[in-house]
Amino acid sequence: MYMSWQTYLSDHRERFIQELVDFVSIPSISALPQHKADVRRAAEWLTARLSSAGMQNATLINTAGHPAVYADWLNAPGKPTILLYGHYDVQPVDPLDQWVTPPFQPQIRDGKLYGRGASDDKGNIIATVQTLEAILRTAGQFQVNVKCIFEGEEEIGSPTLGPAIAEHRDLLACDHIFSMDGLQWGENAAGILVGLKGMAKLQINVYGPSTDQHSGLFGATLQNPATALAHILAALRSPEGKVLVDGFYDSVRPLTAQDRAHLAAVPFDPAAVERTTGVPALSGEPGYSPLERMWARPTLDVNGIWGGFQGAGSKTIIPATAHAKITCRLVADQHPDQIADLIEAHIQRNTPSGVRVTVEKSSGAYPFLMSPDHPSNLIVRDVLTTLYGSAPYYVRVGGSVPVYAVFERELGVQPATMGFTLEDEQLHAPNEFWRLESFDKCQLAYGLLLHKF
Ligand SMILES: [Zn+2]
């Protein structure tokens, strides 16, 4: 019997790194049909690895798409149950010629393991599974019931995870969810994810005459669809960025004093954003700091406008149509369908006479907001504070991750995030890598987490 799980981890480090290499070698690219069998092979590899770690009931959960992997250890009666989440699928690898070494022939250089999926998210998964093994082989048990769900479709937006979870609600029932698909703030600073934005999507079509018309003959008597569209768009948003759609902010949860303090504590340099984006000045909704706007306030953006003559020189027409695509980034508790309806109504109210307007709405995404003081986040904060020697920042992301809303909706549990990926690790890009230092941190973190119960 080993003295401790930490000793076990360091004694088996060479084998464990080789396992990371083996796992990353499987090209489990979920987006590409020609890799379907590889995705399944990665799922089977992971299922076998969970069993050899001492986890029980390791099995594939078949879905309409790529399978998910499940395993559990439920021998702590009366104790809480935690569900560990990650994804074993990876992004495509092109442009292939920009990789220094082939994406599925992982290589270690300068303490970093290079290969597709090393950082996002296979490294976090294998490190955690190895920690489960270390604890089971040393202590013989956990102080808590443990379930694992690793999906194979995160990189394509988790299309079948929702139905799969709904179908296996009892199997996956739990008190806490910890996602290992997440970032730390930096090598020496930790972060806890508390918010993600949702999304609403629309296309506006403005129709005037049935074909383009001569502006000299008809210009004074026909409404111009392109000009009408400009009026419609101007009515949606102030020049600074405040959304003018009636009711748009009604369901937005206001920032609390604690939220604002947490956001103000995060290091942020507006001048650096101006430099990297090449703009003369930042802009956005008045009354909020740039970081508050980026992470915690909703937006409305025109993503594209087209219509009329686009060629060289001029063409004197009244165009028949004009179009625009719009997306909104939403925050809690905005509902994507309700926001799309409000925008449509606002567009109809602000359409000049003489044109017909249609609005096409496509399916959106729900925002996610979790209290910093949620019991799962308190555990993560304890672990990260021990690991980094300082308190983590509370961070948010302006993007959307569908799986968070899926867990919240289907299992009634908000997932806390504790992953050890860093932003500079070429995620989704050539030469993705993971620091072996993060490998050790991840193992230690999940070992500490399991001992918090
Ligand atoms: Zn990921």
Side-chain angles (χ1 to χ4, degrees):
M1 203 65 159
Y2 283 88
M3 289 293 287
S4 73
W5 56 275
Q6 283 114 316
T7 314
Y8 186 95
L9 286 172
S10 51
D11 285 357
H12 292 81
R13 193 166 187 273
E14 210 171 310
R15 165 167 72 96
F16 286 167
I17 288 172
Q18 184 56 45
E19 286 175 358
L20 173 59
V21 169
D22 294 346
F23 196 22
V24 173
S25 300
I26 307 173
S28 51
I29 305 172
S30 51
L32 302 177
Q34 64 267 36
H35 285 286
K36 193 171 163 53
D38 294 319
V39 178
R40 194 167 187 92
R41 190 154 56 90
E44 284 163 353
W45 186 94
L46 185 55
T47 309
R49 185 63 190 88
L50 282 157
S51 291
S52 70
M55 293 296 287
Q56 299 167 346
N57 302 310
T59 185
L60 294 189
I61 295 181
N62 286 307
T63 70
H66 301 299
V69 173
Y70 173 85
D72 62 28
W73 187 96
L74 304 175
N75 304 310
K79 298 286 177 58
T81 299
I82 68 170
L83 178 66
L84 302 174
Y85 164 84
H87 66 89
Y88 70 84
D89 64 322
V90 302
Q91 284 275 323
V93 293
D94 47 290
L96 196 55
D97 60 356
Q98 289 183 20
W99 287 79
V100 174
T101 49
F104 299 112
Q105 292 168 33
Q107 205 193 64
I108 297 171
R109 302 194 291 274
D110 304 329
K112 298 164 181 167
L113 187 129
Y114 286 81
R116 170 59 86 230
S119 175
D120 179 18
D121 184 28
K122 283 176 169 171
N124 287 284
I125 292 180
I126 193 66
T128 303
V129 172
Q130 291 160 346
T131 301
L132 298 177
E133 173 180 308
I135 295 172
L136 286 174
R137 291 285 160 79
T138 53
Q141 60 178 1
F142 303 122
Q143 299 306 315
V144 65
N145 298 295
V146 179
K147 297 178 177 180
C148 299
I149 181 87
F150 299 129
E151 71 158 318
E153 296 200 323
E154 195 277 341
E155 299 294 7
I156 53 173
S158 307
T160 66
L161 189 67
I165 291 179
E167 196 184 318
H168 296 91
R169 231 177 242 135
D170 294 340
L171 184 70
L172 298 170
C174 59
D175 304 295
H176 298 269
I177 299 174
F178 297 100
S179 165
M180 57 196 72
D181 187 24
L183 298 168
Q184 288 306 323
W185 182 257
E187 270 184 281
N188 302 308
I192 295 182
L193 179 74
V194 293
L196 294 163
K197 286 186 179 178
M199 189 178 282
K201 302 177 198 166
L202 307 100
Q203 177 171 323
I204 309 174
N205 306 302
V206 184
Y207 301 100
S210 53
T211 60
D212 292 355
Q213 294 289 347
H214 190 293
S215 66
L217 291 175
F218 293 105
T221 51
L222 297 182
Q223 178 62 270
N224 183 315
T227 314
L229 179 61
H231 282 291
I232 291 168
L233 296 178
L236 292 175
R237 186 184 179 275
S238 78
E240 293 79 25
K242 185 174 165 59
V243 180
L244 303 175
V245 173
D246 296 327
F248 184 82
Y249 293 102
D250 286 0
S251 53
V252 171
R253 227 185 290 175
L255 287 174
T256 64
Q258 187 198 37
D259 291 336
R260 294 195 111 154
H262 283 163
L263 288 162
V266 175
F268 180 80
D269 178 10
V273 180
E274 289 172 7
R275 273 196 307 277
T276 46
T277 57
V279 296
L282 298 188
S283 153
E285 187 187 3
Y288 296 90
S289 73
L291 199 58
E292 287 173 348
R293 298 195 301 256
M294 285 167 65
W295 284 358
R297 295 292 295 171
T299 58
L300 184 150
D301 284 296
V302 177
N303 308 117
I305 310 180
W306 68 103
F309 179 65
Q310 313 279 322
S314 63
K315 189 181 181 197
T316 49
I317 56 161
I318 309 296
T321 65
H323 310 267
K325 282 188 188 286
I326 288 181
T327 51
C328 292
R329 297 283 183 174
L330 309 178
V331 301
D333 299 302
Q334 289 178 303
H335 184 297
D337 296 340
Q338 281 170 7
I339 291 296
D341 290 345
L342 289 173
I343 296 170
E344 179 174 22
H346 196 86
I347 289 168
Q348 298 293 356
R349 269 196 301 280
N350 289 282
T351 298
S353 64
V355 289
R356 190 170 55 83
V357 169
T358 63
V359 175
E360 295 168 38
K361 295 174 276 192
S362 30
S363 73
Y366 286 86
F368 174 79
L369 185 62
M370 187 171 183
S371 167
D373 302 319
H374 185 288
S376 305
N377 275 339
L378 295 180
I379 292 166
V380 171
R381 187 181 67 190
D382 269 8
V383 169
L384 293 177
T385 304
T386 306
L387 212 56
Y388 287 80
S390 56
Y393 298 120
Y394 290 95
V395 302
R396 307 187 190 202
V397 171
S400 310
V401 183
V403 69
Y404 281 77
V406 169
F407 280 127
E408 199 170 7
R409 188 178 66 236
E410 301 297 342
L411 299 179
V413 180
Q414 290 195 308
T417 307
M418 192 171 74
F420 292 87
T421 298
L422 292 175
E423 209 170 47
D424 66 356
E425 290 177 336
Q426 298 284 105
L427 314 183
H428 300 197
N431 304 308
E432 178 178 348
F433 68 89
W434 204 33
R435 291 166 168 81
L436 293 180
E437 195 189 327
S438 299
F439 182 72
D440 298 329
K441 257 185 196 148
C442 184
Q443 288 183 330
L444 193 53
Y446 275 89
L448 293 172
L449 181 137
L450 285 159
H451 284 86
K452 290 287 173 193
F453 291 90

